[in-house]
Amino acid sequence: MSTAMDSCEEMVEVVNACGEKLVGILCRKVPASQDVAVLCHGFLSDKNAHVIRGLATELPFNTFRFDFCGYGDSDGQASYGGYYKQRDDLQCVIAHLTNTLKLTVQLLIGHSKGANVVLLHGVAYPGIPLVNLSGRFDMSRAPPRFTAEEMEQLRTTGSFIWKKERPRPILVTAEGFAERNSLDMTCVRSITVPVLTVHGTADATIPVEDAHRWGEVIAQHSLVVIDGASHQYPKSIPEVAAAIVACLASQKSPLVAASPSPKL
């Protein structure tokens, strides 16, 4: 059965620099507007995860959400690390939306790992305002994920397959492991566009303390902390959307100017 959300959605395919197909959904809430926000999912997630689809539903403007390589409907192998490849895949998506669909990307929103990706994109490709939803600042504080046996296999063979029970398991390589552990997010100090950070006080995956660190290195930074919200925001998507809309209104973003008044 179709919903109002389904009626404004269309599937879009983008080919990245490696020839892999990235599959996304363009939701035209405001058909008369060519402005759009891009939503980026986190690790072990996809374009229809609760946070990403929830924001596409709640936000009053056009959005595009897509699967990174190896996730959801996209081609390729999901891997541990791969932040810079995802950054470049995001740029391929933006180029397609801009050059082929004639849309103007006015905002990048990333959740968890996706937040780090949009911030890295802001360093390499400046100019688009950013929303950092529960991104990790201190990469050294990641929880231990791998067994001693898996780490030994990584040391001796250079790779192993993780999460084998998943429909699409994760490839962990020595290169990806090293990239992830050496990532220094203070590189975002070069970002000059506005950045909104939203984080929940009950986030057990990435501590809320990380949220306060971004303002130390980003010049145009604002922070909204949502009391009681956990990493996946099970009951707080309307609050997240309201925070984003309020921030965009203060910036006089075309996304808000072209949108109907949100029911938040």
Side-chain angles (χ1 to χ4, degrees):
M1 181 176 179
S2 295
T3 66
M5 183 73 173
D6 296 330
S7 67
C8 73
E9 294 185 339
E10 60 182 278
M11 196 76 72
V12 175
E13 295 182 357
V14 179
V15 177
N16 69 8
C18 300
E20 298 162 321
K21 180 178 66 178
L22 306 176
V23 179
I25 296 175
L26 176 62
C27 180
R28 293 184 181 268
K29 290 272 188 79
V30 190
S33 172
Q34 295 302 102
D35 297 317
V36 65
V38 177
L39 304 169
C40 296
H41 68 78
F43 189 47
L44 303 178
S45 188
D46 60 48
K47 65 182 179 298
N48 286 319
H50 169 76
V51 174
I52 300 301
R53 182 172 174 82
L55 284 175
T57 301
E58 288 288 337
L59 291 169
F61 42 77
N62 300 331
T63 60
F64 181 77
R65 63 190 194 273
F66 71 101
D67 295 317
F68 283 112
C69 282
Y71 293 96
D73 300 310
S74 292
D75 291 345
Q77 171 66 60
S79 62
Y80 187 73
Y83 288 79
Y84 294 108
K85 183 179 186 300
Q86 290 191 348
R87 174 201 67 185
D88 294 341
D89 284 353
L90 173 56
Q91 179 58 21
C92 289
V93 166
I94 293 170
H96 182 85
L97 295 176
T98 302
N99 300 327
T100 302
L101 300 185
K102 308 304 180 185
L103 299 173
T104 302
V105 177
Q106 299 284 6
L107 184 68
L108 302 179
I109 304 172
H111 174 243
S112 196
K113 180 184 179 182
N116 291 84
V117 170
V118 302
L119 288 163
L120 291 173
H121 185 277
V123 173
Y125 305 96
I128 303 174
L130 310 170
V131 174
N132 161 25
L133 180 56
S134 303
R136 188 182 296 278
F137 182 87
D138 185 354
M139 303 301 283
S140 70
R141 296 176 66 179
R145 290 188 169 101
F146 309 127
T147 65
E149 291 78 10
E150 288 169 335
M151 292 304 297
E152 177 62 17
Q153 186 177 353
L154 184 66
R155 186 187 69 80
T156 56
T157 69
S159 67
F160 66 90
I161 299 295
W162 187 53
K163 297 285 186 182
K164 295 180 181 178
E165 74 281 2
R166 288 172 57 86
R168 304 182 73 175
I170 310 298
L171 175 65
V172 181
T173 66
E175 180 183 21
F177 188 82
E179 180 200 81
R180 162 65 181 75
N181 289 347
S182 64
L183 193 59
D184 181 1
M185 291 308 299
T186 63
C187 67
V188 300
R189 67 176 68 255
S190 67
I191 293 177
T192 57
V193 296
V195 177
L196 168 66
T197 292
V198 181
H199 214 111
T201 60
D203 192 328
T205 303
I206 299 174
V208 70
E209 289 79 12
D210 278 36
H212 296 275
R213 300 289 304 280
W214 299 107
E216 299 172 8
V217 292
I218 298 174
Q220 294 192 67
H221 182 260
S222 55
L223 172 63
V224 173
V225 174
I226 299 180
D227 188 49
S230 60
H231 193 64
Q232 299 296 336
Y233 298 88
K235 298 179 180 179
S236 306
I237 294 299
E239 290 178 76
V240 175
I244 293 171
V245 170
C247 184
L248 293 176
S250 71
Q251 298 167 8
K252 302 187 185 305
S253 168
L255 285 170
V256 174
S259 304
S261 299
K263 298 177 180 180
L264 298 172

